[in-house]
Amino acid sequence: MFFPSLVVLLSLSVTAQGAAVPNTHVVHETREISTSRWLKRDRLSSNVVLPMRIGLKQQNLDRGHDYLMDVSHPESENYAKHWTPEEIIDMFAPAQATIDTVKEWLTDFGIDARRITNSGNKGWLAFDATASEAEALLHAKYHYYEHAEGHLTPACESYHVPRDIQEHIDYITPGVKLLAPRKRGHDKRRVAISSSQGDATTAPLRVFYPPDFNVTAAGELATCDKFITPACIRALYDIPETPEYPNGNPRSDNSLGIFEEGDFYAQADLDFHFSNFTPRIPTGTHPILASIDGGNSPVPVSEAGGESDLDFEIAYPIIYPQKITLYQTDDWWYASGGRGKPEGFFNTFLDALDGSYCTYSAFGETGNDRYHSLASLDPKYPDTLGSGEDAYKGQLQCGVYKPTNVISVSYGGQEADLPAYYQQRQCNEFMKLGLQGVSIFYSSGDSGVGGPMDESEGGCIGANYTVFSPAWPNRQAGIHSNITQANHPPSCPYLTNVGATKVYPGQTAKDNESAVVDPAGHPYVEAFASGGGFSNLYPIPDYQKDAVAYFYKNHNPKYPYYTTGVVGQDGGLYNRSGRGYPDVAANGDNIAGFCRGSFFTNGGTSASTPIFASIVNRINEQRLNAGKTVIGFINPALYANPSMLNDITNGTNPGCGTEGFQAVPGWDPVTGLGTPNYPKLVSYFMSLP
Ligand SMILES: *[C@@H]1O[C@H](CO)[C@@H](O)[C@H](O)[C@H]1NC(C)=O
Ligand SMILES: *[C@@H]1O[C@H](CO)[C@@H](O)[C@H](O)[C@H]1NC(C)=O
Ligand SMILES: *[C@@H]1O[C@H](CO)[C@@H](O)[C@H](O)[C@H]1NC(C)=O
Ligand SMILES: *[C@@H]1O[C@H](CO)[C@@H](O)[C@H](O)[C@H]1NC(C)=O
Ligand SMILES: *[C@@H]1O[C@H](CO)[C@@H](O)[C@H](O)[C@H]1NC(C)=O
Ligand SMILES: *[C@@H]1O[C@H](CO)[C@@H](O)[C@H](O)[C@H]1NC(C)=O
């Protein structure tokens, strides 16, 4: 259409460097911020082959939110009428006209149609091109850029596309994006082995009880203020011990999904837990392994991980005999930090649940992070970097597991430095999973209004590191400002974000809980504060508008805030226009359990998340048995009926040198709408179609 042939162009690109771009073309992307962290190096030689990817404009993404509300809002006539995966692909895939138009541009330019592939979900076109072809096609100049930490990536400062196809193209890579290596990465929610246990890694294989814990009384509730056992959790939320399964047989289509990465359970720990606290669960009971890209579990008891043991020790007593599916993600080489840096988060997991996510384009990103070098955010499979059994040699797993109805994720990407586009693309995927009827629960974090406390700046953001960090800081080096704008998946409005509560000292499981930092000022285990606040990335969703407005009107926080502009503008500490989190809460302090053969207590929103997820899984079971569909995205129903939750009105979530926000009557950014009231939740969700 625009160029007669490749041959002409090759010579053009060599002889006419810097020549005027034809007026048929427009700039599609330009890098606006330069930074000293990236040094522009040599021009690519003309015969270097680049893996070109053209992300095509998807249809209807802007309507995704409304579609999700249509199946999630209890007053909608389409409540719980979820979509099939095929319906979702059809709805969001680029239009055929888009694919055809862009392909025609490439073939007219001289790229043989046989060189071009279109991804399964039709989201992008891929072909290999020499640097000189790419430069001529895009009226661009490709250079190597060297990152301060040594990584080289090919990129251009700007590139052009024909004016009349621009509307069909999201972005092209390699292009203007420079992706910095991440400094540090995800860290599972903190698990504190109580100090009386000594060093957890060297603890001998024995079971130790603190003097004030009477194990024979474990089924009783006298010590719930010091040791949260399964019986305490049942008492707190009024959960019957005997599940509602006809003949004790759970359904085969309602296993609870639990995500783990780089942390593994040990059967001996689960067995200690069951035999001490829930003898009705036979020892040997274990999750169904859904291995993702080489992830494997369990491990010997001496190598057990606090997160995995905790998740199963919390969930099984609530849901047994219902099953659990363990999504153990990434091979040992990547999961254990083989690249000397943590891996990108959740992309390989989402790939395994939704094959189309492997090739899905949004926010300037297609599939997993594509510069497969040490700097890439995501692991690459087959794993060519690790060796032996540590390295998964198979292909990246795409769409190999049907997602479970409920997924519990007690991990966060604190310090993860994940760019905003990376998170927004994941948030879109959570929207699509919600459309399919999947309920996803994420922990709100354990650092109050700040980030993790081991950060030198206290985990806070803004020019002076005084501003509250929504969920996690995101100090994106490279092209973004060092004042973070970004945020972490848990603040995505299509997830249910879970904060932590506790039983007051001296009180019982029948009394009102408080936020983990109680009015007296302390949680039991290593100081932690339940994450909460307001997003810098996502606006207040409709379902939450009234709750947040009520909070501002009746319990206006004392801190200055900002709305637009830059983070921290005018001394503001939080974004008054952002989505508030958490949505709900559940107990997360002083949880009794076993890890590496020892008794321990621990805390964190890590514990709260599987509690809430397990409860929803039990309600789904009853809905399915009644011939209804599963609940799916639960937030609109919860916000429309907050009396199903026990409102928490005491406690705070300190951080950034402040006492944080206050738990108050109604929704608050410490404990959300409150903790679950199981009988009320059951009767409400059973009353819905
Ligand atoms: C432990 O609990 C059991 C059962 O409630 C009780 O009989 C026993 O006296 C308790 N032991 C101690 C040391 O409190
Ligand atoms: C940061 O601190 C300095 C020194 O106290 C002050 O002048 C400046 O206004 C602060 N900046 C912001 C954005 O708060
Ligand atoms: C980032 O940090 C540098 C040095 O710490 C500082 O000079 C600069 O003003 C900060 N802000 C931006 C937007 O780069
Ligand atoms: C505050 O949140 C709104 C809504 O998401 C967003 O548009 C705005 O950019 C945020 N402000 C800052 C400074 O991040
Ligand atoms: C417990 O919390 C409820 C709100 O959920 C409140 O109405 C009640 O007064 C509280 N009870 C006490 C003893 O504080
Ligand atoms: C909890 O808050 C209520 C008022 O919101 C107050 O009356 C009560 O004393 C508080 N409880 C504790 C233990 O501080």
Side-chain angles (χ1 to χ4, degrees):
M1 194 187 296
F2 300 103
F3 299 102
S5 79
L6 179 60
V7 176
V8 171
L9 265 156
L10 282 174
S11 59
L12 189 95
S13 72
V14 173
T15 57
Q17 281 170 22
V21 176
N23 63 10
T24 48
H25 282 54
V26 288
V27 176
H28 192 61
E29 278 192 286
T30 301
R31 187 171 335 113
E32 274 151 12
I33 306 166
S34 62
T35 157
S36 58
R37 290 183 69 79
W38 287 97
L39 293 175
K40 190 170 173 180
R41 296 297 191 195
D42 293 346
R43 182 99 176 253
L44 269 64
S45 32
S46 58
N47 58 356
V48 169
V49 175
L50 295 173
M52 303 303 294
R53 297 280 181 277
I54 301 185
L56 302 170
K57 275 267 157 62
Q58 318 256 313
Q59 302 181 97
N60 303 321
L61 275 182
D62 52 333
R63 289 154 67 185
H65 174 89
D66 293 341
Y67 291 136
L68 180 60
M69 295 309 128
D70 186 47
V71 297
S72 312
H73 199 285
E75 277 155 32
S76 163
E77 61 184 31
N78 291 320
Y79 179 76
K81 291 182 186 161
H82 300 118
W83 297 24
T84 65
E86 294 72 30
E87 284 169 337
I88 289 168
I89 290 176
D90 287 350
M91 179 57 69
F92 299 109
Q96 192 60 41
T98 289
I99 301 171
D100 295 345
T101 307
V102 176
K103 234 177 183 168
E104 188 183 345
W105 166 51
L106 298 175
T107 51
D108 285 354
F109 170 80
I111 292 167
D112 192 299
R114 283 166 299 188
R115 287 167 62 190
I116 306 170
T117 53
N118 187 194
S119 62
N121 70 343
K122 308 185 193 155
W124 47 270
L125 296 174
F127 56 97
D128 288 342
T130 62
S132 59
E133 276 180 302
E135 290 192 343
L137 177 71
L138 301 172
H139 299 277
K141 285 185 202 153
Y142 280 91
H143 286 257
Y144 287 111
Y145 286 78
E146 185 177 357
H147 188 264
E149 288 166 29
H151 158 67
L152 279 182
T153 194
C156 53
E157 276 167 25
S158 68
Y159 64 89
H160 303 76
V161 301
R163 190 186 311 278
D164 52 359
I165 70 152
Q166 183 174 31
E167 61 175 298
H168 300 293
I169 293 182
D170 199 354
Y171 61 91
I172 299 177
T173 62
V176 299
K177 193 168 287 160
L178 295 172
L179 264 190
R182 293 161 50 204
K183 283 177 291 187
R184 288 197 259 154
H186 69 82
D187 191 0
K188 58 188 176 291
R189 317 295 341 130
R190 198 50 57 211
V191 172
I193 306 285
S194 78
S195 54
S196 62
Q197 304 311 305
D199 178 355
T201 58
T202 59
L205 180 54
R206 71 197 162 88
V207 175
F208 169 92
Y209 300 101
D212 52 346
F213 183 66
N214 179 354
V215 70
T216 63
E220 299 176 13
L221 306 175
T223 52
C224 291
D225 64 329
K226 298 191 186 69
F227 304 100
I228 293 286
T229 61
C232 294
I233 294 173
R234 285 197 304 273
L236 280 166
Y237 307 125
D238 222 345
I239 309 170
E241 178 166 17
T242 313
E244 309 76 358
Y245 311 127
N247 313 317
N249 292 322
R251 302 177 65 94
S252 59
D253 58 355
N254 192 38
S255 184
L256 168 69
I258 294 188
F259 169 94
E260 304 289 349
E261 183 178 320
D263 184 286
F264 312 88
Y265 79 94
Q267 188 64 49
D269 288 332
L270 304 198
D271 288 348
F272 278 130
H273 196 81
F274 300 152
S275 51
N276 278 289
F277 295 130
T278 47
R280 73 183 181 93
I281 305 181
T283 55
T285 298
H286 62 83
I288 304 158
L289 177 66
S291 164
I292 295 178
D293 300 324
N296 209 350
S297 227
V299 292
V301 71
S302 60
E303 294 165 24
E307 182 61 62
S308 301
D309 279 356
L310 171 71
D311 288 341
F312 299 115
E313 291 174 11
I314 292 268
Y316 269 122
I318 301 175
I319 67 163
Y320 186 83
Q322 216 167 323
K323 305 251 183 305
I324 297 180
T325 295
L326 160 59
Y327 296 113
Q328 188 78 48
T329 305
D330 289 330
D331 73 14
W332 175 243
W333 194 80
Y334 278 111
S336 64
R339 288 197 293 175
K341 72 177 200 57
E343 301 307 326
F345 222 46
F346 305 122
N347 270 354
T348 50
F349 171 55
L350 293 171
D351 289 337
L353 297 187
D354 172 5
S356 78
Y357 188 73
C358 284
T359 55
Y360 163 66
S361 303
F363 301 100
E365 180 80 327
T366 295
N368 292 345
D369 183 44
R370 64 214 161 283
Y371 297 120
H372 291 126
S373 67
L374 276 178
S376 68
L377 294 169
D378 292 310
K380 185 195 181 194
Y381 299 109
D383 178 348
T384 52
L385 299 170
S387 62
E389 290 187 351
D390 289 353
Y392 169 68
K393 297 296 181 194
Q395 295 298 320
L396 174 71
Q397 290 189 298
C398 295
V400 292
Y401 298 113
K402 184 175 184 300
T404 52
N405 300 325
V406 173
I407 298 175
S408 176
V409 183
S410 286
Y411 290 68
Q414 59 199 48
E415 308 163 66
D417 211 4
L418 294 171
Y421 67 82
Y422 186 95
Q423 297 170 46
Q424 286 173 308
R425 179 171 166 275
Q426 289 185 344
C427 186
N428 258 4
E429 183 66 11
F430 295 130
M431 178 267 286
K432 293 181 183 175
L433 287 170
L435 270 175
Q436 288 175 65
V438 181
S439 312
I440 307 174
F441 295 88
Y442 263 79
S443 50
S444 72
D446 296 347
S447 304
V449 294
M453 286 311 170
D454 55 354
E455 282 287 307
S456 54
E457 307 86 4
C460 305
I461 59 176
N464 293 334
Y465 299 113
T466 52
V467 177
F468 298 168
S469 170
W472 282 270
N474 185 335
R475 292 193 198 88
Q476 165 74 7
I479 62 168
H480 297 283
S481 152
N482 52 1
I483 298 175
T484 179
Q485 296 282 345
N487 209 312
H488 191 264
S491 67
C492 168
Y494 311 129
L495 298 172
T496 304
N497 190 300
V498 188
T501 53
K502 68 184 280 188
V503 175
Y504 277 130
Q507 296 202 0
T508 74
K510 288 294 168 202
D511 295 310
N512 286 350
E513 290 183 83
S514 141
V516 276
V517 177
D518 65 32
H522 295 291
Y524 283 103
V525 299
E526 247 170 49
F528 86 94
S530 179
F534 298 90
S535 170
N536 282 326
L537 203 52
Y538 305 104
I540 306 171
D542 319 340
Y543 62 74
Q544 194 189 45
K545 280 212 163 80
D546 291 348
V548 172
Y550 182 91
F551 170 73
Y552 285 139
K553 178 160 180 281
N554 296 290
H555 305 284
N556 201 15
K558 59 191 169 190
Y559 310 114
Y561 56 85
Y562 51 89
T563 50
T564 52
V566 297
V567 165
Q569 182 147 335
D570 303 326
L573 298 186
Y574 67 95
N575 187 349
R576 189 92 162 188
S577 329
R579 179 235 205 279
Y581 74 98
D583 298 300
V584 291
N587 194 286
D589 197 23
N590 228 23
I591 308 282
F594 291 86
C595 187
R596 298 190 180 179
S598 288
F599 176 86
F600 68 102
T601 58
N602 67 14
T605 51
S606 266
S608 319
T609 309
I611 292 175
F612 215 101
S614 297
I615 285 173
V616 172
N617 218 62
R618 256 174 88 156
I619 301 173
N620 273 344
E621 183 94 3
Q622 294 166 69
R623 279 183 56 92
L624 288 167
N625 284 338
K628 298 173 191 260
T629 57
V630 293
I631 292 170
F633 181 53
I634 197 173
N635 291 11
L638 295 180
Y639 280 90
N641 298 277
S643 67
M644 298 186 292
L645 299 148
N646 309 308
D647 193 4
I648 305 298
T649 57
N650 293 76
T652 56
N653 58 355
C656 302
T658 73
E659 67 172 20
F661 294 109
Q662 299 262 0
V664 293
W667 178 88
D668 55 70
V670 187
T671 56
L673 297 168
T675 61
N677 179 316
Y678 185 78
K680 286 187 185 172
L681 287 163
V682 170
S683 86
Y684 175 73
F685 283 106
M686 293 309 288
S687 78
L688 290 180

